[in-house]
Structures are given as structure tokens and as C-alpha cells.
Amino acid sequence: MNILIKSATILDSKSDFHNTTQDILVENGLISKIGQNLKNPKKYREITFENLHVSQGWFDSSVCFGEPGFEERETIENGIKTASLSGFTTIALNPNTNPVIDTSSDVAFVKSKAEKKAVNVLPIGALTQNSNGKDLAELFDMKNAGAVAFYDYKKPISNPNLLKVALQYASNFGGLVCSFPQENQIAGLGVMNEHVTSTSLGLKGNPALAEELQVARDLFLLEYTEGKLHIPTISTAKSVALIREAKQKKLDVSCSVAIHNLYFSDENLIGFDTNFKVTPPLRTQTDIDALIEGVKDGTIDMVTSDHNPLDIELKKIEFDHADYGTIGLESAFGALQNIFTLKKTISILTSGKGRFGISASPINEGNPLNIALFNPNGTYEFGNEYIVSKSNNAIFKGETLKGKVYGIVANKKAVLK
């Protein structure tokens, strides 16, 4: 791939050209020259956009597609297109497919479908067979096939001994174990946060305690096993405090939060819109404030879109019976910019790679080009015209978001709007 990117403001603290506006000459996928007013004697394709900014390619640690088995929700091919046009060059793909990704051959299938694409798709293998929480899956074999972590997506490990064994076993080969933070017997049949709003709406509540008990349990198990744990999508102030304390004790723990849990509260459910039905549930403003502070001080390692496409039959039904989940790749950048500064937004979108074994590629001469292209200015109302996913279950629909993503250039391919 040979291109010349014109007048791009580089936002990359690891780059020699950070916070400067430059032309970037790319030859055979490598950055051959960065400078101002570069010539183009070989007539390479020139890329120009209004108020163009570039950063290292973005990473999302929790993305669902559907294929194999749920192609009506999303295919790998269109999912990659969605990620590309949303600025993401690397995604960790959850195993909630049919069949569940719980063997090395399943991992190999996903990798083969995503081979030679602009987006680097990293499969997460199921922690237990068929994600049923009973017997460990083929963790070592899946690791060798390319799995970057092990997680029964949105399914808590109720048996503490099973998680203990998983942490001990995976530590032999540096495997990253993920544990969804919910104690099901406490959560019960709750469909939203247990608080004043759930009472006024007459909906069963899922208390913050259900998450916090599980987080505390898992951290005790981590301390005992000296393993490597990732706690995905926390949602409460107490969870932040527990993980902050664990990090002070030097436990090998990381965690993430979903963007929508930083943005919306349980009061957004007053209209019974099932797009707001997510798990963990939307909590209170107190929780939101603590989560945002956790992102700012580094307690929370990464922010995820928690992108989970669902077909309309699973959402356009009575609230109690609707499935949990929202798409989020397309709205991630614009939503984050409503909460954080541009500098912090880019830091968030490019963080977390190391935890999943991904090496960064700074925007410097001689390095492979792996970038997101965007305009941080301007606002727009997020609606159907901005959705690339096959599914339409978007929690941010109708929200005014900030900034525009142009696409990515990565893996010797350009995917641009």
C-alpha cells in the first residue's frame, strides 16, 4: 500500500511528531517520511479530509458479532467494516456465538474469516465448555491457536473453585482469565438497577451488591492464586474502590467499563426503551461519577463499547423479556468526547492493548502504519444513518455526539468514508 496523507494533526504521545500537523508518506505499508508539504512524484493516492487528525489505531476489548450461528445479528465481514469506519484497528471478539468459541478449531475459524483484513480481530475463547460454567474449556490449546483471553461473555462463574483452578492453570502459560462481575443469586430476576427508579417503574431490581460481592470474591481468589484476572464492564462505585485497593496491593488485575455506563443512568429507563436494557445495568449518577474518576486515575484500565448486535425480535418486545445489549462501535468516539477531553479520549481509545498482548505502533518513520483518522470538532445527532451494523439496537440513538470518524489505515489497507 502506497499513499500520501496530507495535513494530518498527529495525536500520539509516543510519536516524535506529537501535536504537530504533518504529511505522512506511506510506502509498502511502512511510514517512509513524515514532514510538511511532502511531494508526490510517484503519484500515490492522496488522502485529505477536513480538519484531519490521526492517532494510533483504536482498540476495543469487548466486541460481539454473531457469526458463526447468529449471522442475522452480524457477520464477521460487516462487523469488521463497522469497526473500521468507527476508527478501531484492533478488537477482542467475544465467544458468544453458536457454537460457542470454546475449542482451538473455533478460534482458528474466526481468525481465518478475519485474515488479511484492515482490522486485527483477536478471538476470546470461552472459559468453560459451551460457556456453561461447569468444566474448563481447552484453554491452552485455544491460546496456542490465537485466543487472547478466556471469558464466558456476560455469564458469571458461580463456582469459586472453578475460577480458582482456571486462574492457577492459566498462570502456567500467561493466560488472561476474565470473570463477569455478577452474583446471580443476588441479582435474581432483576432487569435494571435496584434503586428508587426501579421501584417507581415497577421493574425488578438488580442491586449493586450483586456486582460488588462477585468482585470482592474474585479479588480474594486472585490474591490466593497469584493469577492474572480481567474484570470486564464494572458499573458501581464500590467496584471501583475494591479494584483500586487490589491494585495498591499489586494484584495482577485489570478492568473495563462500558461507555454507556459512563453516560446514562437508571433514570433513562423511564420510557421503557429496551435499547437501555444492558448488563450490567445502568446505575446511579453517584456510580457514574465514581466510574469516570476511576477512568481518569487509571483504576479502570480500558473503556469498551461493549458492542453487542441483536436483531429486532430480541429488542422490540416487552421490557422484562427483551435481551440485554446495545451496539456501540459507531458511537464510541462521539460519546467519549462528550465526557472527556480530546487528549483523554484518544488515550482511552488506544489503551488496554498491552493487557491483551498487542504491541503498539507509534506514528514514526520506519513503523507500520496503523492509524485512526478523525475530525474531533463538530456535533451531530446520532441516528440510523450513522449505523453500519446489521442490527439497530443503539443506546445512543437520538444523542448529540461530538466529532466525526473518517476510518482507518492499517494492515496495508485503507477503509475510509
Side-chain angles (χ1 to χ4, degrees):
M1 179 186 66
N2 302 310
I3 58 172
L4 178 60
I5 301 171
K6 299 293 290 184
S7 299
T9 300
I10 297 172
L11 301 180
D12 179 2
S13 59
K14 299 290 193 292
S15 170
D16 300 332
F17 303 91
H18 178 49
N19 266 340
T20 65
T21 301
Q22 307 284 346
D23 295 347
I24 305 172
L25 180 63
V26 182
E27 297 182 288
N28 197 29
L30 298 177
I31 302 171
S32 61
K33 183 71 176 173
I34 299 177
Q36 295 182 340
N37 302 313
L38 295 183
K39 304 299 182 186
N40 188 10
K42 297 182 180 178
K43 295 190 171 19
Y44 294 151
R45 173 187 176 186
E46 291 194 7
I47 294 176
T48 60
F49 286 104
E50 180 186 358
N51 192 32
L52 177 60
H53 287 60
V54 300
S55 72
Q56 288 187 38
W58 302 341
F59 169 64
D60 194 327
S61 61
S62 179
V63 173
C64 306
F65 287 158
E67 186 178 3
F70 298 120
E71 286 83 358
E72 72 279 5
R73 302 178 189 177
E74 189 58 281
T75 61
I76 291 174
E77 182 177 358
N78 194 67
I80 288 173
K81 178 183 176 183
T82 303
S84 301
L85 295 176
S86 304
F88 294 89
T89 60
T90 306
I91 60 166
L93 187 65
N94 289 309
N96 57 328
T97 51
N98 186 22
V100 168
I101 300 170
D102 63 358
T103 68
S104 57
S105 59
D106 296 330
V107 172
F109 169 81
V110 171
K111 289 184 71 69
S112 68
K113 291 283 288 189
E115 197 174 13
K116 296 182 180 177
K117 303 290 186 183
V119 176
N120 189 20
V121 177
L122 307 174
I124 296 174
L127 184 64
T128 64
Q129 293 175 23
N130 202 35
S131 289
N132 62 13
K134 294 179 180 177
D135 300 297
L136 287 183
E138 303 172 359
L139 306 190
F140 184 62
D141 287 349
M142 286 193 288
K143 171 82 169 178
N144 288 340
V148 294
F150 309 104
Y151 178 30
D152 292 344
Y153 180 70
K154 302 295 185 184
K155 294 183 177 181
I157 303 299
S158 59
N159 181 350
N161 189 58
L162 185 65
L163 183 60
K164 176 180 79 75
V165 171
L167 287 165
Q168 290 171 325
Y169 175 57
S171 66
N172 292 313
F173 52 88
L176 179 62
V177 172
C178 306
S179 177
F180 182 60
Q182 179 170 289
E183 213 300 322
N184 272 348
Q185 289 180 302
I186 297 290
L189 299 175
V191 295
M192 67 171 291
N193 182 51
E194 184 178 270
H195 198 243
V196 175
T197 306
S198 63
T199 302
S200 67
L201 295 178
L203 293 173
K204 292 186 176 68
N206 177 347
L209 178 65
E211 175 173 308
E212 295 151 5
L213 276 177
Q214 195 84 342
V215 169
R217 184 205 74 171
D218 290 356
L219 291 173
F220 273 115
L221 290 169
L222 178 64
E223 186 171 15
Y224 179 80
T225 60
E226 299 181 350
K228 183 178 178 182
L229 179 67
H230 178 66
I231 303 176
T233 57
I234 64 171
S235 68
T236 79
K238 183 66 173 176
S239 292
V240 178
L242 288 166
I243 292 167
R244 184 179 288 123
E245 181 184 349
K247 288 190 169 189
Q248 290 168 353
K249 293 164 70 173
K250 307 298 184 186
L251 299 187
D252 193 355
V253 62
S254 58
C255 67
S256 69
V257 61
I259 294 170
H260 44 262
N261 283 103
L262 299 173
Y263 199 101
F264 299 108
S265 76
D266 53 2
E267 293 182 3
N268 287 97
L269 274 74
I270 288 173
F272 294 94
D273 183 345
T274 58
N275 283 329
F276 289 96
K277 187 178 181 182
V278 291
T279 184
L282 304 174
R283 303 288 187 185
T284 67
Q285 189 61 49
T286 300
D287 294 306
I288 292 172
D289 293 342
L291 290 163
I292 290 173
E293 184 58 35
V295 172
K296 289 179 176 178
D297 70 17
T299 300
I300 297 174
D301 302 86
M302 54 202 90
V303 180
T304 172
S305 70
D306 205 21
H307 182 83
N308 186 13
L310 297 169
D311 51 72
I312 192 168
E313 290 84 0
L314 299 174
K315 277 293 187 179
K316 203 166 185 179
I317 53 176
E318 185 182 338
F319 193 92
D320 273 345
H321 301 297
D323 269 24
Y324 297 94
T326 175
I327 58 172
L329 287 171
E330 299 98 315
S331 50
F333 176 64
L336 285 171
Q337 279 220 102
N338 279 351
I339 306 171
F340 302 101
T341 64
L342 174 60
K343 179 182 177 182
K344 184 61 179 178
T345 295
I346 299 305
S347 173
I348 288 167
L349 289 166
T350 54
S351 65
K353 295 179 182 179
R355 188 61 168 169
F356 287 81
I358 309 154
S359 57
S361 182
I363 305 172
N364 281 322
E365 292 175 1
N367 285 349
L369 188 69
N370 184 311
I371 60 169
L373 298 84
F374 54 94
N375 177 353
N377 297 338
T379 60
Y380 65 99
E381 182 178 313
F382 186 77
N384 290 335
E385 65 270 32
Y386 296 98
I387 294 175
V388 187
S389 306
K390 286 183 69 176
S391 296
N392 203 270
N393 54 311
I395 196 171
F396 283 99
K397 204 177 291 184
E399 289 296 308
T400 299
L401 304 183
K402 183 180 180 183
K404 177 191 292 185
V405 179
Y406 294 127
I408 63 171
V409 181
N411 292 338
K412 299 184 179 181
K413 290 177 177 58
V415 183
L416 302 166
K417 291 179 179 174

